[in-house]
Amino acid sequence: METIIRKIDKNQINQEVIEEAGNVLKQGGLVAFPTETVYGLGADALKEEAAKKTYAAKGRPSDNPLIVHIADYEDLKKVAVNIPPETDALAAHFWPGPLTMIFEKSESVPYGTTGGLDTVAVRMPSDPIAAALIRAAGGFVSAPSANTSGRPSPTTAEHVRVDLEGKIDMILDGGAVDIGLESTILDMTVEPPMILRPGAITADMFEEVIGPVGVDETLVNSESKQAPKAPGMKYRHYAPKAKMMIVEGNIREEILAIRQLAYAAHREGKEVGIIATGETVQFYNYGIVKNIGTRENENTIARNLYRVLREFDEEDVDLIYSESFAMNGIGKAIMNRLEKAAGHMHLQATEITKKQKYRRVIFVSEADSAVGPMAAELLCHQDLEQEYIIESGGLVVLFPEPVNQKAEAIMKSAQMTLENHVSKQFDGSNLQGDTLVLTLNETIKNKVLSDYENVKNVYTINEFVGVSEELPNPYGKPLTAYGECFEILTGLIDKLADKLNSYAKGEE
């Protein structure tokens, strides 16, 4: 089958294209089209055979009901019966828009459309292209998301093309969608009405219109034998190709845990995808990091979620780790989709972070111009099993200055460099408990402990690695003294790396 792709502008709708697409639907064909939520795969909702084609094209289980889309409120009565009185208020506030309501079905709706249920899911989309197509097709268009079943929902026509080209008759390319997550589903056949799938319209918004609504917190899991009452309840949905896990904790714990996991995967040669936000993306050093949006405006996260999951598919990552999001407002819908995509696989951040004793190592010297920076650079070149922030600082740094030239000469002879180093003042006032402070000698250690009473984990390098020989100070001496210091320092750093790696293995 050749799939026709037609560009269409929602601000200046080409009626000829709409009529062409409408005729395809009237003849029993399939047309993908944009809505404000995601792209839908349209078929004639009142034809049993059209429903069968939809299930076949998507590879969708036939007990997973389709949503009937209408363009005029009066048409609801043609597909639903025993409509509750509060429906009028809900429709007045939220239709057209991202709300699907479930009613008892009328005889005109075939069981193929409803997945064998006596109920029907109905929505009135606000996208003008969708509304025009529904009217051109006769007023009743069934439309699940226009993707291969189980994959991330499409938010652009290109996403549809990748999944369904050659399987459907036509794609209307109206650009990127506005919301990016599927509609809220509200079951109107129970009292009070119950949210079966969270979306852009939240429980608080419903409560302002009709009073309290129920929320199905459990949903039907993948092992259930019960037929799903609404799309997306039973089967794994929105899933990328890679194994995906949600890391949960406070934001700092999540970042640290994901950094730990990404570094471990990197050492194993695996490509990792990380779902981060504008506030956190800067903190990750390994993996393919995606800025999904900002926590200050979670609508941006909703809009980008499926795009990011599809990009990870294109980049062929092996694993995906995602931060978690607040379970209120649209955040509840975001987490619902993430949990579906991850197959409800969660990792507790604290269970991961407790496996790493130190995350930051600071070498403290007098002026941060020679041995301290040398130690930091040597540790950076070690094969460390966990990721560390490695740096140096001085007790007395009057102004930033480059490294001592003799120290740089020695480092270059070992194929390392400190040419970008600038000395900085050590500040122990706000150190976290996972910071290891290593001083060059006992005098500096005592000064640190005296100046910063709350600083923990302060040792001389020799003390920490269990070596009695003191590290010589080459300052003011010839180049050979720096070379001798370098040799001793190299041995100490080797032992330091071994000790840090033993912590990683749980041996200490």
Side-chain angles (χ1 to χ4, degrees), residues 51 79 290 422:
V79 293
K290 301 286 186 183
V422 177

Side-chain angles (χ1 to χ4, degrees), residues 362-368 392-396 424-432 435-461 463:
I362 306 177
F363 294 94
V364 184
S365 59
E366 283 287 347
D368 191 37
S392 63
L395 289 182
V396 183
K424 65 179 181 180
Q425 179 71 36
F426 170 73
D427 182 4
S429 57
N430 293 304
L431 296 182
Q432 298 284 343
T435 299
L436 174 62
V437 179
L438 297 175
T439 68
L440 301 191
N441 56 51
E442 194 73 24
T443 301
I444 297 173
K445 171 189 168 183
N446 291 335
K447 179 65 173 171
V448 170
L449 292 172
S450 173
D451 290 350
Y452 304 100
E453 294 181 358
N454 295 324
V455 173
K456 300 177 180 179
N457 308 317
V458 183
Y459 307 87
T460 66
I461 300 178
E463 174 188 9

